[in-house]
Amino acid sequence: MRMVDIIIKKKENKELTREEISFFVKGFTNGSIPDYQASALAMAICFNGMNKKEIGILTDEMLHSGDTIDLSSIEGKKVDKHSTGGVGDKTSLVLGPLVASCGVKLAKMSGRGLGHTGGTLDKLESIPGVTIDIEKDRFFKQVNDIGIAIVGQTGSLVPCDKKLYALRDVTGTVNSIPLIASSIMSKKLASGSDTILLDVKFGSGAFMKDLDSARELARTMVDIGDELNRDTRAILTDMNQPLGLAIGNSLEVIEAINTLNGHGPSDLVELCVSAGAIMLVQAGRVKTIEEGKELLEENINNKSALNKLCEMVEAQGGDASYIKDPSKFEKAKYIIDVKSNKDGYIKEINALEIGEAAMKLGAGRATKEDIIDFATGIVLEKKVGSKVNKGDTLCKVYSNKEHVESILLEVVESFKITNEELKTLPIIYEIVE
């Protein structure tokens, strides 16, 4: 079998066999297939796509390109959740403790932020002492003991995806639903949980810019999960404005703590409670989504979910006193009010522009080598649909840099103000099962 024949076959929009896909995955992983041939195949897939069968085979072969995690030593059903990334997305910090407080096990491997999207691991590391590098036995014991662990992915999981993702990033082949779906699902399936909930975001701050493409990606990933015998469901959520109010690492941790204290922004609360209810149904903890929502809301009110976050932080070496007293987090030197220059209603808060501004303040990475400033970021005072008068504060910018005039200009321009009164947008648009 020759790699060039596989490339030509996909270039001619023909279906690849399992043998051909397996040949590519094995050869690319072990280095016998060079980058330029892998790039050519990725481009052919970008142009011609893959059918449902091919995507399922590609995912299966990639997830077996390295180690897989066996979670059978953890008692009970294990649930997992994945977000396709967005601005202000601190969902895991709220949702994880919430579902764990209901007796459901969450053994989660998360990622770091790059560009305008924030990473759960970076947010966790803004809590002094927290480690996300935990050996396997300690990981299993922690989930068995307290029901939750959020850690970094091991280097031996899905090595083919790591190599292919890095190549796609520099060859203009990221934007392909078969490649996105197989990348996400190979990692999630290799992580070993019994159920997977996917939060597929769409809008200015998301990878998928519109509802139709988000729906197609969600359907593709749910089909992969079904084909590989894993209970997989998806929600389609809005990212045309940042999620919640806070953008930036310790600022988002503080917002997550406030949410578990019963004082969270309405969109973040709705997303976490709704997603958590679906996860409880998947785990068999409750029979209906409504029953799940009631249980989760009760565990916010009685502080058991907040206590679960404290337990997780302590188990991973962190100082839980920061969870009990968020005022202990380091503050940025400069807190600057960004004010409205006109009267009206907020029509849009461009999440991409806000995310990029936060990154430039130090809250994110332009490259993988960049060092994050945990205290910096942006906290919104207004959301889409809010009425504003000229001079009202739209948001606060938290900076350790003295001269950020150009960033402030970008921030104010990300708010689009109209004279027409607007309806509040829903956060969850659809559930895909």
Side-chain angles (χ1 to χ4, degrees):
M1 193 176 292
R2 299 191 313 160
M3 185 61 197
V4 66
D5 296 324
I6 297 172
I7 295 167
I8 291 167
K9 189 174 180 181
K10 182 44 68 177
K11 186 184 74 171
E12 293 173 350
N13 202 17
K14 295 175 182 174
E15 180 181 319
L16 300 181
T17 65
R18 178 174 283 276
E19 290 71 26
E20 288 165 333
I21 293 171
S22 178
F23 177 82
F24 161 66
V25 170
K26 287 183 173 69
F28 183 53
T29 303
N30 67 29
S32 62
I33 292 172
D35 284 0
Y36 58 82
Q37 287 189 313
S39 300
L41 180 62
M43 189 61 78
I45 292 169
C46 271
F47 281 124
N48 291 323
M50 292 180 120
N51 64 28
K52 182 177 172 180
K53 181 181 175 184
E54 288 176 294
I55 297 170
I57 293 169
L58 177 60
T59 305
D60 193 30
E61 291 292 332
M62 288 209 304
L63 85 88
H64 289 109
S65 66
D67 294 340
T68 57
I69 296 176
D70 180 3
L71 298 180
S72 59
S73 63
I74 298 173
E75 299 167 7
K77 271 223 172 171
K78 281 73 69 177
V79 300
D80 198 2
K81 162 259 173 193
H82 175 80
S83 167
T84 56
V87 179
D89 185 4
K90 70 285 295 178
T91 311
S92 293
L93 302 178
V94 179
L95 185 55
L98 262 177
V99 296
S101 72
C102 299
V104 173
K105 303 290 176 62
L106 182 86
K108 180 165 176 53
M109 294 187 179
S110 288
R112 296 196 177 278
L114 186 61
H116 73 279
T117 59
T120 299
L121 299 183
D122 302 310
K123 293 163 195 174
L124 272 175
E125 287 183 332
S126 73
I127 305 167
V130 166
T131 179
I132 49 82
D133 297 315
I134 294 177
E135 62 182 21
K136 186 168 67 173
D137 290 345
R138 180 180 163 192
F139 175 59
F140 291 167
K141 184 177 187 306
Q142 181 177 322
V143 180
N144 263 326
D145 289 349
I146 66 171
I148 181 172
I150 301 177
V151 300
Q153 183 178 313
T154 68
S156 53
L157 275 187
V158 201
C160 181
D161 177 65
K162 284 191 182 69
K163 288 187 72 176
L164 189 57
Y165 190 89
L167 199 61
R168 286 165 55 209
D169 203 32
V170 295
T171 56
T173 53
V174 171
N175 194 9
S176 160
I177 282 179
L179 295 177
I180 296 167
S182 58
S183 172
I184 291 171
M185 289 302 293
S186 61
K187 291 193 286 282
K188 288 289 103 182
L189 291 162
S191 297
S193 289
D194 300 308
T195 74
I196 301 165
L197 178 67
L198 303 159
D199 179 0
V200 181
K201 299 188 179 297
F202 67 93
S204 63
F207 190 73
M208 313 311 288
K209 298 303 179 188
D210 58 78
L211 181 59
D212 287 343
S213 58
R215 185 184 292 117
E216 183 183 352
L217 176 60
R219 182 76 266 163
T220 302
M221 292 193 290
V222 169
D223 285 346
I224 291 170
D226 290 345
E227 193 166 315
L228 297 176
N229 301 312
R230 203 71 58 91
D231 181 341
T232 306
R233 307 183 196 189
I235 51 176
L236 306 182
T237 64
D238 178 57
M239 188 43 73
N240 279 303
Q241 62 176 331
L243 179 62
L245 301 173
I247 303 98
N249 296 279
S250 64
L251 297 172
E252 291 188 44
V253 173
I254 292 167
E255 183 164 277
I257 295 165
N258 290 340
T259 302
L260 292 174
N261 265 311
H263 309 299
S266 59
D267 57 343
L268 178 61
V269 173
E270 182 186 345
L271 175 56
C272 291
V273 169
S274 298
I278 295 169
M279 293 169 75
L280 295 185
V281 171
Q282 287 179 289
R285 177 66 177 80
V286 297
K287 288 190 170 67
T288 67
I289 288 176
E290 283 310 310
E291 185 187 347
K293 286 181 178 179
E294 287 177 13
L295 181 56
L296 293 166
E297 286 166 357
E298 181 183 330
N299 282 7
I300 291 175
N301 292 333
N302 65 25
K303 301 294 190 291
S304 61
L306 180 69
N307 292 335
K308 191 59 68 176
L309 177 61
C310 288
E311 288 180 40
M312 185 187 80
V313 167
E314 285 180 340
Q316 294 182 212
D319 184 349
S321 70
Y322 282 72
I323 310 302
K324 295 165 186 170
D325 180 11
S327 68
K328 292 182 71 172
F329 280 96
E330 184 182 344
K331 307 288 191 300
K333 286 182 188 174
Y334 307 101
I335 302 175
I336 307 156
D337 287 355
V338 175
K339 297 182 184 295
S340 175
N341 52 22
K342 62 172 82 170
D343 299 338
Y345 297 88
I346 297 177
K347 179 182 179 182
E348 179 189 350
I349 306 172
N350 190 293
L352 174 60
E353 292 173 6
I354 287 282
E356 289 181 339
M359 178 188 72
K360 291 172 186 175
L361 289 165
R365 298 180 182 86
T367 70
K368 287 182 181 177
E369 292 73 34
D370 287 350
I371 296 171
I372 283 181
D373 183 343
F374 291 132
T376 61
I378 298 165
V379 176
L380 306 179
E381 297 272 314
K382 306 289 184 183
K383 296 278 278 186
V384 169
S386 297
K387 186 180 189 309
V388 294
N389 297 313
K390 185 176 180 179
D392 284 354
T393 299
L394 299 172
C395 64
K396 292 180 183 293
V397 167
Y398 290 70
S399 175
N400 283 318
K401 300 174 182 177
E402 189 172 356
H403 298 293
V404 290
E405 290 81 7
S406 61
I407 297 174
L408 296 177
L409 186 61
E410 290 174 25
V411 171
V412 76
E413 288 178 350
S414 71
F415 286 80
K416 308 296 187 287
I417 297 173
T418 180
N419 292 325
E420 298 174 14
E421 190 169 356
L422 299 161
K423 291 181 180 177
T424 303
L425 299 172
I427 183 67
I428 299 175
Y429 278 69
E430 289 178 27
I431 299 173
V432 179
E433 297 182 358

